[in-house]
Amino acid sequence: MGDPEPVLGFPPVGPIRGHSRTGRPSWEIAMSTQQREQDGATDVVKEPTMSMRLEVAVIPVTDVSRALDFYRSLGWRLDADFEASPRFRLVQLTPPGSECSIHFGRGITPAAPGSAHNYLVVSDLEQACADLISRGVEVSEIYHNVYDAGVQDQADGPDPEGRSYASFASFSDPDGNGWVLQEVQVRLPGR
């Protein structure tokens, strides 16, 4: 046995700038993307000074070609597939209508295959499930979340009130990386 093979895609990461060595943030970003600062007894809300868009989600896989075949079978656009060496290959695909892509390959991430869990937003959940099933993907039944005494559970079928953000289905890629389909017909303000 020798030293473990290095991950070639990205340099080793130490503590992230803006975070202490314990990993706790030295600043806080609110869910609304507005920055909040504690000022005595009041919160001061500052508008962001620049936009930050999520560009890529990294998906750990065991077999790059198998993953490429799977995601292409979903109708995802192939943006890049380059191999710099036998130890480094980067594949980028983008789901239809998405501004965010996925990366996978060799030498991209030390994360364990099957450990990624991501959401895909669709406007018609039943149609999205039917499309995936027609492509040979095993998709869960549609479900919605219910809350009983503050505990979240899942119930069969779409949200009874038809609310956006409330109905889901899920599937996995060949490595077990999970994808949740979330139906959003009307976005909340500012999103």
Side-chain angles (χ1 to χ4, degrees):
M1 296 277 165
D3 292 332
E5 203 168 283
V7 175
L8 301 175
F10 301 98
V13 178
I16 297 171
R17 290 182 183 175
H19 286 69
S20 68
R21 292 225 176 261
T22 64
R24 300 187 70 171
S26 59
W27 43 265
E28 171 181 86
I29 302 291
M31 291 296 288
S32 66
T33 71
Q34 294 177 335
Q35 189 172 352
R36 295 186 176 273
E37 289 183 355
Q38 193 68 17
D39 181 17
T42 63
D43 281 343
V44 177
V45 178
K46 294 165 115 181
E47 292 297 321
T49 58
M50 59 186 266
S51 64
M52 293 184 193
R53 292 180 173 87
L54 182 61
E55 184 74 17
V56 173
V58 178
I59 310 297
V61 301
T62 55
D63 184 321
V64 179
S65 295
R66 179 182 69 175
L68 177 57
D69 290 344
F70 175 79
Y71 287 106
R72 293 281 314 262
S73 78
L74 301 182
W76 294 21
R77 181 185 73 228
L78 177 62
D79 300 322
D81 182 357
F82 56 89
E83 190 164 0
S85 75
R87 293 174 39 201
F88 182 81
R89 178 179 177 191
L90 177 113
V91 176
Q92 177 175 311
L93 293 110
T94 303
S98 179
E99 293 184 21
C100 184
S101 302
I102 63 168
H103 278 177
F104 57 84
R106 283 190 309 275
I108 302 297
T109 178
S115 63
H117 300 280
N118 295 289
Y119 277 69
L120 296 167
V121 170
V122 298
S123 60
D124 185 325
L125 187 56
E126 288 183 10
Q127 182 182 1
C129 290
D131 179 66
L132 288 169
I133 291 167
S134 76
R135 296 170 183 271
V137 177
E138 187 175 321
V139 181
S140 75
E141 295 293 324
I142 294 174
Y143 61 92
H144 64 280
N145 291 331
V146 293
Y147 302 91
D148 184 23
V151 176
Q152 179 179 309
D153 201 2
Q154 296 174 350
D156 293 339
D159 178 64
E161 297 174 31
R163 296 172 296 173
S164 284
Y165 302 96
S167 296
F168 309 90
S170 59
F171 69 95
S172 296
D173 74 6
D175 283 294
N177 294 300
W179 292 94
V180 174
L181 300 170
Q182 181 179 36
E183 186 174 73
V184 178
Q185 296 173 349
V186 178
R187 288 199 169 273
L188 291 172
R191 294 189 181 165

